[in-house]
Amino acid sequence: MIEHTLSPFIKINEVMTLRIKDILLLQEFQYAKIISGKSLLATEVNGATIVNTLEGCASVERGNFILTTGFPSFTDEAFKQFIRSLAEKGVSGLGIKIGSNIPSISSDIQSFAEHYKLVIIELDSNIPWADLMIPIVNYINYEQKLELEKIKNIYEAFQAFLLAKSDIQQLPLLMEKLLAKKTTIYLHAIDKSYSSFALPPVFENVLSNIVQTMKTQNLTKESFQELPISVYVKPIYENRHLEGCIIIWECQTLCASWHNVAISQATAILLTELQKIKSIISLSQQNRSSFLLDVFRGKFNSTEEIVRVSKEVNWNLADHPYQLLLLELTFPDDQKQDAFIVTSQLIFLLEKYTLTKICFDSNNYLVLLLDTTSEITADFICKKIDFLLAKYQLQVTYFGGVGRVYTLSAIVKSYNEALISLHFAKTKKNLLAKVIHFEHLNFERILFSNHPIKEASFLQQEYLLPLKEFDQKKAAELYHTLKVFLFNNADFNKTAEQLFVHKNTVRYRLSLIKEISKLNPEKLQDQILFYIGFLLEEIQLPAFQ
């Protein structure tokens, strides 16, 4: 519409999506001549203003196309000041009628306009302003009508998508239909991408670069400018955390408002879908954690029942030995608000790349159930974690403990051992290793246990009871020999004298003890474990199961 005011200019308050070269295609502009800025004809025009005084420049808006006949005393110096003022305002161009105020345009003025990157067009002086303005207004109104129609169609298309309960994998196809551009969506939470077409190898490589950039760098406008294919990438954020992106292929910018409507509608659907995925993942983790806790508490009557119930939480355990890896993740203070999201993503990646069963325990430690029949070991898992943390530049530290191998029905023993090992690893603060295996512990297994007496009782049953059982079968006197040896401060001569045997006999019996118990009676650390076991027998504490 044309706005008449008392000011010395007439303004068209329209939001346009046309460019200067589109204006030149109108019939009323067929005799217009380009004075400067031939390389800038693709400049977008968002309005038009007729300016009749130098003071009128103060009211023009960025992107306006200025129309003028000049004004009295319009010298070359005043013309340059006029051009400079318009360029500083960011106008799209200047249309001039040659007449009494502007009899001609000198080469000096042309050069000056080129320097300030301003398009100047000489208009037909015989055509009234109204005849020049009306086709522009009509063009704008037509474009606006088309744009409103497109926006309406987009809303209806997304509404139909939702009402049909279409799968999220169909969203790229809808986007390609609406935008006429090939589309890919990437969801970081599940590390998956869906495309509206089969990606050729070069597109696959570009997608991989985009995903890697998103995971490891702070995104800027320049992040994707060096790719071999032009792409428009719309990051998807929720609570400051990058959740994924929408990729429009062979396209650098999306400027129209209906483009933005399509992108915003797709983003809203993706965020809703991500919430569903996260809820499912969270519920699945809760079910698995509850199941494993029931296993630890001995709520199942048989291994067969454990195997059957494991299928209900999609674990499909088998009746063979397992061991547990227990991990504690630590986040910097400024990233603790993202701990749940990062931990969930790490679990997803570990499950994807290692096929390991993962859940949480009551201490919020990560529990990884390792199948000993596979090639996936605790050390392999830790190397994979280090790789993922480095790859995605996650500022996360961790400590871990690894229990020994047990049958499925006795896996709680591996858990308790992993817990002790984790406590020890945290205390050492990586002076030895950030992940400790229980089988490498000696008296530390008692020192770092939540129940030292109970753990000492387990130690007694593990190392001394097999010696008693061997003595009962073979009458080998291993148990008594070990006790005398320790209480004589590991002196072979005194031990042999007290037992009335040759000291080589003592050495032979100690070698059998080492073979049966897996501890070395001549090693100080192992002597401490044996001594604790004997001490418990002397004070006659009840044995724990």
Side-chain angles (χ1 to χ4, degrees):
M1 96 185 180
I2 301 178
E3 180 189 57
H4 296 277
T5 69
L6 297 177
S7 61
F9 63 92
I10 303 173
K11 185 176 182 181
I12 305 175
N13 287 328
E14 301 287 355
V15 179
M16 299 185 289
T17 57
L18 78 162
R19 297 158 296 179
I20 293 176
K21 64 181 180 180
D22 297 324
I23 293 177
L24 295 176
L25 295 175
L26 298 173
Q27 182 178 355
E28 290 77 9
F29 290 82
Q30 61 181 319
Y31 297 113
K33 299 178 182 178
I34 301 170
I35 305 300
S36 66
K38 288 184 178 180
S39 63
L40 303 172
L41 298 182
T43 303
E44 291 187 6
V45 178
N46 64 9
T49 302
I50 299 176
V51 178
N52 293 322
T53 68
L54 186 60
E55 292 76 14
C57 293
S59 300
V60 302
E61 297 178 358
R62 176 174 292 276
N64 275 187
F65 186 76
I66 307 303
L67 303 172
T68 187
T69 57
F71 34 86
S73 303
F74 200 68
T75 63
D76 275 7
E77 190 59 37
F79 203 163
K80 289 180 180 180
Q81 182 181 350
F82 187 57
I83 290 172
R84 187 184 301 110
S85 298
L86 294 178
E88 290 173 353
K89 284 286 188 176
V91 303
S92 56
L94 174 64
I96 293 175
K97 280 187 178 183
I98 298 297
S100 58
N101 292 329
I102 306 177
S104 64
I105 300 176
S106 67
S107 59
D108 186 34
I109 293 296
Q110 292 180 36
S111 299
F112 192 81
E114 292 284 0
H115 174 74
Y116 277 91
K117 297 182 179 180
L118 183 68
V119 178
I120 296 181
I121 297 173
E122 181 184 335
L123 304 174
D124 190 338
S125 300
N126 296 320
I127 299 179
W129 283 125
D131 290 347
L132 292 172
M133 299 291 284
I134 288 173
I136 296 177
V137 173
N138 289 339
Y139 190 102
I140 297 170
N141 288 340
Y142 176 72
E143 289 294 316
Q144 285 184 328
K145 180 180 178 181
L146 287 179
E147 189 152 323
L148 289 173
E149 188 66 27
K150 287 178 180 177
I151 291 174
K152 174 176 174 289
N153 292 338
I154 287 172
Y155 278 121
E156 290 177 349
F158 277 100
Q159 184 180 21
F161 183 88
L162 292 173
L163 290 175
K165 298 181 179 180
S166 301
D167 190 275
I168 195 69
Q169 298 181 34
Q170 302 300 313
L171 186 58
L173 293 173
L174 175 61
M175 291 293 288
E176 180 176 348
K177 179 180 178 181
L178 295 173
L179 302 179
K181 296 287 184 182
K182 293 180 173 63
T183 304
T184 295
I185 60 174
Y186 170 73
L187 302 179
H188 185 39
I190 56 175
D191 198 27
K192 281 189 177 182
S193 61
Y194 305 106
S195 299
S196 61
F197 64 112
L199 296 181
V202 63
F203 282 67
E204 287 277 11
N205 292 335
V206 171
L207 175 60
S208 178
N209 289 335
I210 292 173
V211 171
Q212 178 68 10
T213 300
M214 290 178 57
K215 291 177 178 178
T216 60
Q217 300 178 21
N218 293 323
L219 299 186
T220 65
K221 292 182 178 179
E222 292 76 30
S223 295
F224 307 111
Q225 289 186 350
E226 302 299 324
L227 297 173
I229 302 173
S230 60
V231 292
Y232 172 84
V233 180
K234 169 62 178 176
I236 300 172
Y237 289 93
E238 185 176 37
N239 297 327
R240 302 183 299 105
H241 194 82
L242 189 60
E243 296 286 3
C245 67
I246 300 172
I247 303 169
I248 310 299
W249 296 95
E250 299 176 310
C251 171
Q252 288 187 328
T253 58
L254 294 175
C255 301
S257 59
W258 59 273
H259 290 154
N260 295 329
V261 169
I263 292 292
S264 64
Q265 288 292 298
T267 299
I269 289 176
L270 289 175
L271 286 174
T272 301
E273 185 66 21
L274 282 167
Q275 286 297 329
K276 293 179 182 177
I277 292 172
K278 289 179 182 178
S279 296
I280 293 171
I281 292 174
S282 178
L283 181 59
S284 176
Q285 287 294 343
Q286 290 177 22
N287 291 337
R288 292 172 177 178
S289 297
S290 297
F291 162 72
L292 199 57
L293 187 59
D294 287 342
V295 174
F296 292 163
R297 290 172 176 171
K299 289 194 173 182
F300 299 105
N301 297 320
S302 64
T303 301
E304 290 74 17
E305 186 179 4
I306 295 175
V307 171
R308 178 178 56 79
V309 177
S310 73
K311 296 178 181 178
E312 297 176 5
V313 296
N314 200 29
W315 263 7
N316 298 318
L317 301 180
D319 185 9
H320 52 241
Y322 289 86
Q323 71 177 148
L324 282 181
L325 167 62
L326 212 56
L327 296 174
E328 180 184 54
L329 304 181
T330 304
F331 294 82
D333 291 338
D334 60 345
Q335 295 182 19
K336 286 185 176 179
Q337 68 274 9
D338 298 327
F340 175 77
I341 296 174
V342 173
T343 302
S344 298
Q345 291 174 344
L346 185 60
I347 290 174
F348 169 78
L349 293 172
L350 285 175
E351 289 181 331
K352 177 179 179 181
Y353 294 121
T354 68
L355 305 178
T356 305
K357 319 299 191 225
I358 305 176
C359 64
F360 292 94
D361 70 355
S362 57
N363 300 306
N364 213 30
Y365 296 148
L366 278 183
V367 182
L368 291 84
L369 189 61
L370 308 181
D371 187 338
T372 56
T373 63
S374 73
E375 297 180 356
I376 305 300
T377 64
D379 292 337
F380 175 85
I381 294 286
C382 293
K383 288 179 181 178
K384 180 62 70 173
I385 292 174
D386 291 335
F387 169 77
L388 293 172
L389 294 180
K391 179 180 180 180
Y392 300 126
Q393 297 184 353
L394 299 174
Q395 302 301 315
V396 180
T397 57
Y398 69 92
F399 294 99
V402 184
R404 291 178 294 188
V405 177
Y406 289 93
T407 61
L408 190 55
S409 59
I411 197 63
V412 66
K413 294 182 180 180
S414 187
Y415 171 78
N416 289 329
E417 293 174 356
L419 191 61
I420 294 171
S421 303
L422 172 59
H423 291 165
F424 180 56
K426 289 168 58 180
T427 302
K428 298 302 293 184
K429 295 297 184 185
N430 206 25
L431 292 179
L432 293 177
K434 57 186 176 184
V435 176
I436 300 294
H437 289 252
F438 185 82
E439 61 189 17
H440 297 155
L441 299 182
N442 289 288
F443 59 86
E444 298 95 346
R445 59 185 283 185
I446 299 173
L447 187 62
F448 290 93
S449 172
N450 290 331
H451 307 284
I453 300 298
K454 185 176 181 179
E455 184 60 34
S457 175
F458 292 153
L459 182 149
Q460 176 192 11
Q461 296 172 52
E462 182 176 345
Y463 297 129
L464 295 184
L465 188 58
L467 299 181
K468 286 185 175 182
E469 293 173 347
F470 187 86
D471 286 343
Q472 289 175 357
K473 294 178 181 179
K474 304 291 186 179
E477 298 189 31
L478 299 184
Y479 181 88
H480 183 58
T481 299
L482 176 61
K483 189 172 184 179
V484 172
F485 180 72
L486 292 179
F487 282 87
N488 279 297
N489 297 318
D491 188 309
F492 281 91
N493 292 327
K494 289 183 179 180
T495 302
E497 182 180 343
Q498 188 171 337
L499 293 175
F500 303 104
V501 297
H502 194 277
K503 65 179 181 181
N504 285 341
T505 301
V506 175
R507 292 185 186 280
Y508 173 71
R509 291 178 181 178
L510 293 182
S511 68
L512 287 178
I513 291 171
K514 181 179 179 181
E515 181 181 339
I516 295 170
S517 67
K518 309 303 181 186
L519 295 181
N520 187 353
E522 299 182 54
K523 184 179 177 183
L524 178 60
Q525 287 180 318
D526 292 350
Q527 289 172 3
I528 294 174
L529 296 181
F530 282 130
Y531 180 79
I532 291 173
F534 287 125
L535 182 61
L536 282 179
E537 285 201 343
E538 287 188 3
I539 59 179
Q540 296 182 346
L541 288 177
F544 291 88
Q545 297 298 322

